[in-house]
Amino acid sequence: MAEDFSVKFTDKQYLPDPSVKKNSWIGDYQKAYNAFIKDPDSFWDKNASELHWFSPYSKVKEWNFPHARWFPDGKTNIAYNCLDRQVQNARRNKVALIWKGEEDTERIYTYRQLYREVMRMANGLKKLGVVKGDRVCIYMPMVPEQIISMLACARIGAVHSVVFGGFGAAALHSRITGAEAKVVITADVTFRRGKSIPLKHIIEEAIIDAPSVEHVVVLRRELHQPVEIHREMEVDFYDLIKDVSPDCEAEVMDAEDPLFILYTSGSTGAPKGIVHTCGGYMVGAYYTTKNVFDIKDNDVYWCTADPGWITGHSYVVYGPLMNGATIIITEGTPDYPDAGSYWRIVEDFGVTILYTAPTAIRMFMKMGEDWPDKSNLSSLRILGSVGEPLNPEAFEWYYRVIGNNRCPVVDTWWQTETGMHMITTMIGEPMYPGFAGKPIPGVVADVVDKDGKPVPHGTGGFLVLKEPWPSMFRAVFKDPERYQKYWDTIPGYYTVGDLAVKNKQGYIMVLGRSDDLIVVAGHNIGTAEVESALVSHKAVAEAAVIGKPDDVKGNVIKAFVILRLGHEPSDRLKNEILYHVRITLGPIAMPSEIEFVTSLPKTRSGKIMRRVLKAKEMGMDPGDISTIED
Ligand code: WTA
């Protein structure tokens, strides 16, 4: 871990219009924060009580460091809170979900329609023998059926594990076997940039030697050339739900029952199955969506993330639906058929809240202001950012060009493990470009040195969370040691693994990871997973990867590779190795550069010193290399 270091930044401030604060749910940030600190349990009780509980909890939390139980004896169901609650009130015929495909296709579900589809899918899963507690892997493109599948699992108490559709067969296999999924739900193809990209063969490969899998449900979208269904194992999505009852009572779940597992990269070894539970996660996702995005009934809300990531779980699906919002999802990419596609969606549907990633914003910056200028963006009211630091230049562009100097920008810092937003600038508060903001009411965060002592403003340190929060992860699936590790690194706190700095006003700027994770275009990639994909190629003896700064993606992956005896470096071999990574891990984990080397810097205990590689790559001082082997 790095020692304290000083960080330079400016004090430039943007002041929002006073009306923003006046009309917001949260009102004055400091007042809300003080109320939370004065009595955290009442604060969370008040938020939780806005949701439906089949039977109430008698206490808010039990905290035995580092294990929490929230609303422990309460009984609820998050899918019930997303759907039944809305159908029972004036939102019955309100649009819940708009799906926008490529080539001008769209599908729209009202709350009632979504509710009925979810119940049918829930009954379909039951027909396959899925019961409460079983794991279901969802590996699908961004289509309504992906969301319907998630909600159907939640409705019957099955634990979903959504795997991003961009992962390859090996990555998918390890996630299916890790979670011991009984059923996998997938699609034949995903449509991207006007082409259909087959998915089903990836599943076919991924379920070899995955003995837990009993059925594969296949959504067939490619109507011209429907894929064959192998009946001994597979079932067509719509056949499965054709003759089932459209009624399915929501399972009464204990607040602490698991809701989902979501795999995230670790700095060492296999990806970690982050476990979230029904009650606490529900309250965290609900509260933050309501207050950070200030959702109101006439908002049209668009989060561009894929439900394969935590952002999609909390802020495409659960949070907004619990708030009765109209949500938009699209399978399209921001640059197809041209760089105006996102802005046309904003204009067409009258999007009021837009939540996207810095990497997308930087890409738009590169493509120029003409594109957004072609569309009328005046419906926008709030802009959000997530996944990596929103650098001041990107903030300024987003605020000025997209928000017309009018919309608050909420740069939200959080993680798969936290389940909900933790740090941001609540709307109505002054914004400091480059700084995510302050801990939201409900969260206690700080920047500390390695002993846990707060560092003065201007000095970099480790970001920690000091108190439990409802949507904190409860476990790393089947790996208690890795759970413990988060809490042992800096005694007494949850160490998030990011470096950060505070300004005089107490705003936090997140600087990047302090461990071996690489954040590429907002996606966490574990060095270990990429390195093991590289060495599984027959020509590769050893490999090390580092993140290299990139204008658009934040970071790209550079790989250093030592070849096995008998293999010579060549461009052809480079491409072969890249192809191998694409097929095993998926395109998102592909290095953008491979350099063949004959040795790697290592400690005497044999650990690769990636920091030395990185310093050399960037022409910087590698720092203390006294532990280097050679
Ligand atoms: C990074 C995504 C700076 C950070 C929600 C964190 C950010 C990791 C921000 C979690 C932000 C996320 N500013 N960095 N606003 N948001 N990060 O689990 O390094 O996919 O630890 O969750 O992304 O990534 P994850």
Side-chain angles (χ1 to χ4, degrees):
M1 281 208 200
E3 288 303 319
D4 309 347
F5 51 96
S6 79
V7 182
K8 291 201 175 27
F9 46 80
T10 70
D11 261 349
K12 187 165 181 187
Q13 191 197 67
Y14 286 74
L15 281 173
D17 188 290
S19 66
V20 170
K21 193 186 271 195
K22 207 170 119 241
N23 300 324
S24 71
W25 286 120
I26 196 77
D28 183 69
Y29 162 80
Q30 200 55 51
K31 249 194 184 153
Y33 197 86
N34 294 347
F36 151 66
I37 281 291
K38 215 172 126 213
D39 189 351
D41 282 3
S42 318
F43 172 88
W44 285 117
D45 178 37
K46 189 174 154 293
N47 285 293
S49 68
E50 293 178 13
L51 293 159
H52 175 83
W53 297 80
F54 295 118
S55 73
Y57 46 87
S58 57
K59 60 180 157 203
V60 169
K61 69 170 184 287
E62 284 168 7
W63 176 227
N64 296 305
F65 183 93
H67 300 285
R69 288 163 54 79
W70 282 84
F71 317 107
D73 53 354
K75 299 203 186 297
T76 189
N77 184 300
I78 194 169
Y80 184 99
N81 275 295
C82 288
L83 300 169
D84 307 50
R85 233 175 93 247
Q86 319 300 3
V87 169
Q88 289 154 12
N89 67 29
R91 297 189 181 121
R92 178 178 308 183
N93 298 315
K94 177 176 174 178
V95 173
L97 169 64
I98 298 168
W99 173 82
K100 171 96 179 60
E102 290 189 329
E103 324 297 348
D104 220 23
T105 45
E106 57 187 61
R107 283 160 66 194
I108 292 180
Y109 293 78
T110 63
Y111 268 96
R112 182 175 164 279
Q113 286 171 320
L114 188 62
Y115 168 65
R116 284 164 62 88
E117 286 298 283
V118 167
M119 287 198 287
R120 281 161 43 139
M121 185 55 182
N123 282 328
L125 290 172
K126 281 187 178 171
K127 209 163 77 181
L128 295 180
V130 176
V131 297
K132 182 174 169 177
D134 282 344
R135 267 84 59 205
V136 172
C137 172
I138 301 172
Y139 179 71
M140 298 180 95
M142 263 164 84
V143 287
E145 289 84 352
Q146 181 193 34
I147 293 177
I148 289 167
S149 300
M150 290 168 75
L151 290 164
C153 288
R155 190 162 192 91
I156 63 172
V159 176
H160 58 66
S161 163
V162 185
V163 177
F164 174 59
F167 276 116
L172 179 58
H173 175 83
S174 70
R175 286 158 175 79
I176 290 174
T177 51
E180 296 171 346
K182 189 172 189 175
V183 167
V184 181
I185 309 175
T186 190
D188 54 353
V189 296
T190 172
F191 293 105
R192 206 169 169 80
R193 296 199 170 89
K195 295 195 184 69
S196 69
I197 299 171
L199 280 183
K200 184 165 167 272
H201 69 285
I202 300 177
I203 286 282
E204 288 168 3
E205 195 181 326
I207 63 169
I208 295 174
D209 289 331
S212 61
V213 179
E214 293 177 14
H215 300 281
V216 177
V217 182
V218 185
L219 174 71
R220 287 193 282 183
R221 315 176 64 207
E222 185 56 291
L223 300 175
H224 305 299
Q225 286 167 301
V227 292
E228 198 183 333
I229 293 283
H230 306 308
R231 308 261 165 218
E232 63 280 10
M233 187 74 154
E234 299 169 357
V235 49
D236 176 273
F237 190 100
Y238 280 102
D239 284 351
L240 178 69
I241 63 174
K242 199 166 54 197
D243 300 320
V244 297
S245 152
D247 289 312
C248 173
E249 289 277 308
E251 188 78 29
V252 175
M253 303 297 287
D254 285 337
E256 282 296 315
D257 280 334
L259 171 65
F260 66 81
I261 300 173
L262 183 59
Y263 281 87
T264 185
S265 299
S267 48
T268 53
K272 298 182 273 199
I274 300 299
V275 179
H276 280 286
T277 52
C278 294
Y281 174 81
M282 174 177 90
V283 173
Y286 168 78
Y287 156 73
T288 46
T289 308
K290 175 176 168 184
N291 291 284
V292 172
F293 297 124
D294 192 45
I295 280 211
K296 305 279 167 54
D297 238 334
N298 47 3
D299 275 312
V300 177
Y301 168 93
W302 183 22
C303 166
T304 65
D306 187 297
W309 307 106
I310 191 67
T311 304
H313 282 60
S314 302
Y315 301 112
V316 173
V317 182
Y318 291 118
L321 294 178
M322 279 189 279
N323 278 283
T326 294
I327 66 173
I328 296 185
I329 59 169
T330 177
E331 203 174 352
T333 40
D335 55 353
Y336 180 85
D338 59 50
S341 66
Y342 269 27
W343 314 123
R344 284 192 295 273
I345 291 181
V346 170
E347 175 173 341
D348 269 7
F349 295 101
V351 172
T352 57
I353 303 172
L354 175 67
Y355 190 31
T356 193
T359 186
I361 298 166
R362 289 189 297 256
M363 192 188 81
F364 292 131
M365 281 171 77
K366 253 196 165 157
M367 297 192 287
E369 292 175 28
D370 289 355
W371 288 107
D373 284 352
K374 283 188 214 245
S375 295
N376 179 349
L377 306 182
S378 62
S379 58
L380 287 170
R381 168 170 105 76
I382 290 172
L383 302 174
S385 170
V386 62
E388 53 183 315
L390 181 64
N391 49 303
E393 299 74 24
F395 171 97
E396 195 277 334
W397 191 89
Y398 199 27
Y399 183 74
R400 177 175 59 81
V401 179
I402 306 305
N404 195 18
N405 299 310
R406 184 174 57 71
C407 307
V409 172
V410 287
D411 173 5
T412 57
W413 179 90
W414 61 296
Q415 305 179 303
T416 306
E417 292 86 339
T418 70
M420 68 176 206
H421 299 149
M422 304 301 280
I423 296 171
T424 195
T425 303
M426 297 303 277
I427 63 159
E429 298 303 314
M431 295 169 280
Y432 293 88
F435 288 81
K438 294 185 180 181
I440 65 169
V443 171
V444 185
D446 208 348
V447 182
V448 301
D449 65 16
K450 62 184 186 320
D451 304 317
K453 233 175 65 234
V455 294
H457 61 82
T459 301
F462 304 105
L463 184 58
V464 293
L465 302 171
K466 296 187 162 179
E467 295 292 336
W469 63 100
S471 63
M472 59 192 273
F473 69 131
R474 300 295 194 272
V476 175
F477 193 59
K478 294 199 165 152
D479 201 342
E481 266 167 44
R482 282 176 110 184
Y483 179 80
Q484 189 67 38
K485 202 164 167 248
Y486 286 94
W487 304 88
D488 285 348
T489 311
I490 295 173
Y493 302 143
Y494 169 85
T495 303
V496 308
D498 285 337
L499 298 170
V501 63
K502 286 205 289 192
N503 67 7
K504 271 205 291 288
Q505 293 76 12
Y507 281 56
I508 295 170
M509 172 188 277
V510 177
L511 301 164
R513 300 289 310 175
S514 63
D515 59 14
D516 281 340
L517 288 185
I518 307 175
V519 184
V520 181
H523 302 316
N524 269 354
I525 312 279
T527 47
E529 219 179 356
V530 183
E531 287 162 4
S532 82
L534 286 164
V535 296
S536 70
H537 186 279
K538 63 181 187 317
V540 177
E542 276 188 80
V545 301
I546 59 164
K548 229 177 120 168
D550 179 83
D551 280 359
V552 174
K553 294 184 172 175
N555 293 285
V556 291
I557 300 174
K558 169 155 186 186
F560 297 86
V561 164
I562 304 181
L563 292 176
R564 283 176 190 272
L565 229 56
H567 294 273
E568 290 303 319
S570 70
D571 283 346
R572 197 184 161 301
L573 185 54
K574 263 186 201 172
N575 288 336
E576 205 184 285
I577 295 169
L578 284 175
Y579 183 73
H580 177 76
V581 178
R582 179 196 288 277
I583 299 303
T584 49
L585 268 191
I588 52 163
M590 269 172 74
S592 60
E593 205 182 319
I594 291 184
E595 181 177 330
F596 293 117
V597 293
T598 50
S599 70
L600 290 168
K602 284 187 192 155
T603 62
R604 285 183 201 117
S605 60
K607 270 178 95 176
I608 295 172
M609 297 176 86
R610 296 185 190 82
R611 136 179 101 76
V612 175
L613 284 171
K614 185 156 178 171
K616 187 167 160 273
E617 182 69 28
M618 318 270 303
M620 287 172 354
D621 173 13
D624 178 11
I625 50 168
S626 58
T627 56
I628 209 162
E629 179 197 38
D630 183 6

